Amino acid sequence: MFDSLRLSRREALKLSTAGVVGFSMSGWLAALAESSANNPQRRRSCILLWMNGGPSQMDTFDLKPGHVNGGPYQEIQTNVPGIRISEHLPHVARNMDKMAIIRAMNTREGDHGRGTFYMHSGYLPQGPIQYPTFGSLVAKEIGASDLPLPNFVSIAPYRLFSPAAYSSGFLGPQYAPLMVGEVTNFNQQGQGGYDQALQVQDLRQPDDITASQFDERVNILQEMERDFATRHPTVAARSHLTAYERAVRLMRTSARTAFDLSEEPAQLRDAYGRNIFGQGCLLARRLVERGVPFIEVTLGGLQNNPIAWDTHQQNFQNVQRLSEILDPAWGTLMEDLRDRGLLESTLIVWMGEFGRTPRINPQVGRDHYPNAWTTVLAGGGIRGGQIYGRTSADGTTVEDPRQVSVPDLLATACKALGIDPTETNMSNVGRPIPITDRMARPIDEILA
């Protein structure tokens, strides 16, 4: 059944690229989503929940109650005896049996730009090598060339810290992310206007031209684009051609309806949260259903501040408000995926560019701290219901059993996705580069 569905999809795309735009795929896409969700051969997917600005581990997943560094938050019991997290994450707490908390991160990069790039790529931004972001690597390894949707979608990204952290690098533009709802400046509120923000613009043909006219125009432009790219084989030309062909592919199939959240029940949309992060998580689930292997959803905006996790001031007030956005979205996402038979094949990664200082500063804030902080892996490929690592009583150092580096974390994610982290790709300077650094040590203890 699985192979026949893939064949049907391939044939459908051949029809669409041949200009048969009247071919209806709505019933086929629904059937594909349902059957592939329950198929043991289903491709794996990854959803990265990116906490822009660096979330405080001491106010989310590694609280220190009773210590001067601990702050005012209380711990609550999760559905796994002995594991406690922030009182402001009650929905997440109910899903702890599917989650592994890593309280052992030591990444040594406390700058927003460098930390963002490092966490996304596994390599430091240095030298002439154009390292690809992790989503592009996953798209290349487990994506499908015949998928009508992009293999990598980034929802509400904030790229100003590090544009290269969202680049496909030496892998080429065919593995670049489709970006929706991008936060472009400090004046754009990151949680408002979600319905419009999460739409891919200009996917429908103008009302005043016929289907045949549209088809003719597309074909003429396609010929011109390919001719130009052949005569000018540059990255810019290939990027433009790739973006154009991806848009045409979406326009010629009903795959574009993946971005139409109005198809979802109002009660479910409410459960995710009526904000760009909550609705972005719902969109991520819809994309996973349709076979997209990598989706990144960013949470970082509050009150016209797109880097709200950067809590140098009023840390506790801001983290509480951010947690109230994160908690229903993440908890509902896991339950929604589980109910649809998708959680076991979907890895969820929660992280930011670093953690925050255990010590509370005079502005009642926490500053950048990459020495001892927390990430979380959940869902497919992960043995949930456990904590890996332990920090000291004051939260300043990793005590046991070992420090976890960025390459270690990404190699663990690769293993959970069925990807060999030692696999190499040829770089733009002619050197083979492994997906993760050769010294990376996956955390075998949390892998299923």
Side-chain angles (χ1 to χ4, degrees):
M1 179 63 172
F2 186 78
D3 288 337
S4 66
L5 282 169
R6 288 188 63 195
L7 180 61
S8 298
R9 179 170 62 188
R10 187 176 297 110
E11 294 301 320
L13 285 174
K14 287 182 178 178
L15 286 171
S16 70
T17 55
V20 187
V21 294
F23 180 76
S24 174
M25 297 175 64
S26 56
W28 170 81
L29 276 175
L32 173 65
E34 180 179 357
S35 61
S36 62
N38 297 313
N39 195 289
Q41 301 179 51
R42 173 182 164 78
R43 291 177 182 271
R44 290 188 178 274
S45 296
C46 179
I47 299 174
L48 168 58
L49 303 180
W50 179 254
M51 304 295 104
N52 192 46
S56 169
Q57 72 283 355
M58 306 223 8
D59 305 300
T60 51
F61 291 102
D62 191 12
L63 279 70
K64 303 293 183 181
H67 194 279
V68 66
N69 291 345
Y73 292 178
Q74 301 299 310
E75 290 183 312
I76 58 170
Q77 178 64 50
T78 68
N79 70 345
V80 177
I83 298 182
R84 295 177 174 272
I85 62 174
S86 165
E87 63 182 309
H88 300 300
L89 298 174
H91 202 157
V92 171
R94 297 199 295 270
N95 292 277
M96 190 54 59
D97 59 314
K98 299 294 185 181
M99 309 171 75
I101 302 174
I102 304 171
R103 293 176 176 170
M105 299 300 301
N106 183 308
T107 55
R108 302 182 183 179
E109 282 296 335
D111 172 76
H112 282 297
R114 290 175 63 86
T116 297
F117 186 88
Y118 195 22
M119 293 300 298
H120 275 82
S121 69
Y123 292 92
L124 293 172
Q126 56 191 2
I129 301 177
Q130 299 167 0
Y131 294 106
T133 189
F134 188 63
S136 296
L137 289 162
V138 172
K140 177 181 181 296
E141 292 299 319
I142 61 175
S145 61
D146 58 356
L147 190 70
L149 288 159
N151 282 290
F152 177 11
V153 178
S154 182
I155 300 169
Y158 180 78
R159 294 190 292 163
L160 295 187
F161 282 150
S162 178
Y166 296 86
S167 167
S168 54
F170 57 66
L171 292 182
Q174 66 269 37
Y175 300 110
L178 171 66
M179 299 189 186
V180 295
E182 181 172 6
V183 178
T184 56
N185 57 61
F186 284 89
N187 295 318
Q188 181 174 342
Q189 184 170 338
Q191 296 304 312
Y194 52 84
D195 275 329
Q196 182 178 0
L198 297 181
Q199 290 290 325
V200 180
Q201 302 301 313
D202 302 321
L203 280 185
R204 297 186 180 275
Q205 68 187 53
D207 295 332
D208 59 348
I209 68 170
T210 66
S212 60
Q213 287 174 322
F214 172 76
D215 234 20
E216 291 172 0
R217 295 179 183 184
V218 164
N219 290 335
I220 291 171
L221 181 57
Q222 193 170 41
E223 291 177 6
M224 295 173 61
E225 288 272 2
R226 289 176 176 170
D227 178 67
F228 183 87
T230 299
R231 290 185 291 107
H232 302 82
T234 63
V235 172
R238 287 190 293 116
S239 297
H240 192 273
L241 176 61
T242 299
Y244 162 75
E245 290 182 338
R246 182 160 60 184
V248 170
R249 179 182 294 187
L250 270 174
M251 293 178 74
R252 284 180 163 174
T253 72
S254 61
R256 64 178 180 269
T257 63
F259 298 91
D260 184 5
L261 299 181
S262 67
E263 295 183 346
E264 297 290 337
Q267 186 175 3
L268 182 62
R269 297 191 68 180
D270 291 342
Y272 272 95
R274 295 281 186 162
N275 51 70
I276 197 168
F277 181 75
Q279 300 303 291
C281 286
L282 174 56
L283 175 56
R285 188 225 79 204
R286 290 172 62 84
L287 294 171
V288 165
E289 275 185 308
R290 290 157 173 81
V292 176
F294 196 94
I295 306 101
E296 177 174 359
V297 189
T298 297
L299 171 55
L302 281 178
Q303 293 184 334
N304 299 320
N305 177 10
I307 50 173
W309 288 104
D310 194 30
T311 52
H312 293 283
Q313 301 178 10
Q314 300 302 317
N315 171 80
F316 304 105
Q317 175 183 340
N318 287 323
V319 170
Q320 178 176 345
R321 294 172 63 202
L322 287 160
S323 296
E324 289 167 353
I325 295 171
L326 172 67
D327 183 59
W330 189 359
T332 303
L333 173 64
M334 293 189 65
E335 292 163 4
D336 201 5
L337 288 168
R338 181 199 63 202
D339 292 344
R340 294 167 186 270
L342 296 168
L343 185 58
E344 294 305 314
S345 60
T346 305
L347 172 69
I348 299 173
V349 181
W350 181 87
M351 66 182 188
E353 55 263 48
F354 37 65
R356 307 209 74 82
T357 53
R359 184 180 63 83
I360 302 166
N361 68 28
Q363 290 74 45
V364 197
R366 298 191 191 271
D367 303 314
H368 302 181
Y369 198 71
N371 296 347
W373 58 290
T374 300
T375 56
V376 180
L377 298 181
I382 297 301
R383 186 182 295 119
Q386 63 174 311
I387 296 171
Y388 181 86
R390 178 175 59 86
T391 55
S392 56
D394 61 0
T396 58
T397 60
V398 176
E399 297 290 294
D400 180 71
R402 66 176 172 93
Q403 297 177 348
V404 175
S405 69
V406 178
D408 295 341
L409 177 69
L410 296 186
T412 306
C414 282
K415 290 281 191 178
L417 291 166
I419 297 172
D420 180 359
T422 67
E423 183 75 25
T424 62
N425 293 287
M426 191 57 65
S427 71
N428 57 297
V429 297
R431 282 177 48 198
I433 303 294
I435 293 176
T436 61
D437 187 272
R438 298 184 192 280
M439 300 300 292
R441 294 184 295 163
I443 310 171
D444 294 327
E445 293 88 336
I446 69 171
L447 290 169

